Amino acid sequence: MATLNKKQKLFIVQSLAVFNTPQETVQLVKEEYNIDVTRQQVESYDPTKRAGKDLSAEFKKEFELIRKDFLDKPLNIPTANKAVRLKILNDLVYKNHRNQRVVRGLLEQIAKEMGGLYTNKQEVDHTSKGESINKPTTIELVAPNVKGTDRTAT
């Protein structure tokens, strides 16, 4: 197990707080600090895991702050932006232009993006002029007048 300084530990806590897996964090630590750490060692810095139950209060607080900030501001993620998603889909259309099935699916995805299918916006129709839009329905059942079934004398 590698011995880590405070800066490296904080890097691991921050990585886990933004939902990177322990394996992804191991790779990030290797790239950033050229240190080999194990997944188990990394997991001990995640207070949401059993292995991280004894994490210091300082690191727990940092973890909670980073996670809250991450969840409150999804616009920090490029693909949370509609324009970025459309550009990616557009690039994929041109990259896969020979595969009609893939292109059809991508074009459908783009149309759904443009039509607002993937948004939380709702349109409300206010044309009822104060009346309830959901009016009760009255159904009247009328028996058909069929010749030959009337048993009255003629």
Side-chain angles (χ1 to χ4, degrees), residues 12 18 22 26-27 34 36 41 43 46 48-49 64 68 77 86 92 95 101 112-113 124 126-128 140 142 152:
I12 292 171
V18 295
V26 165
Q27 293 168 346
N34 200 23
D36 291 318
Q41 186 178 6
E43 251 183 20
D46 187 345
T48 64
K49 303 280 191 231
E64 290 168 6
K68 183 180 182 318
I77 301 171
L86 288 170
L92 287 171
K95 181 179 178 185
R101 175 180 263 171
K112 288 177 180 178
E113 276 293 343
V124 179
H126 295 288
T127 59
S128 63
E140 184 179 337
V142 178
T152 59

Side-chain angles (χ1 to χ4, degrees), residues 42 50 57 60 81 104 129 146 149:
V42 166
R50 184 179 213 163
K60 282 183 183 178
N81 187 320
R104 263 195 313 265
K129 298 182 183 176
V146 180
T149 58

Side-chain angles (χ1 to χ4, degrees), residues 112-140:
K112 288 177 180 178
E113 276 293 343
M114 292 303 297
L117 185 65
Y118 298 117
T119 65
N120 284 336
K121 295 178 184 174
Q122 296 178 352
E123 292 183 20
V124 179
D125 183 14
H126 295 288
T127 59
S128 63
K129 298 182 183 176
E131 297 176 13
S132 174
I133 293 174
N134 296 325
K135 295 180 182 177
T137 304
T138 305
I139 300 174
E140 184 179 337

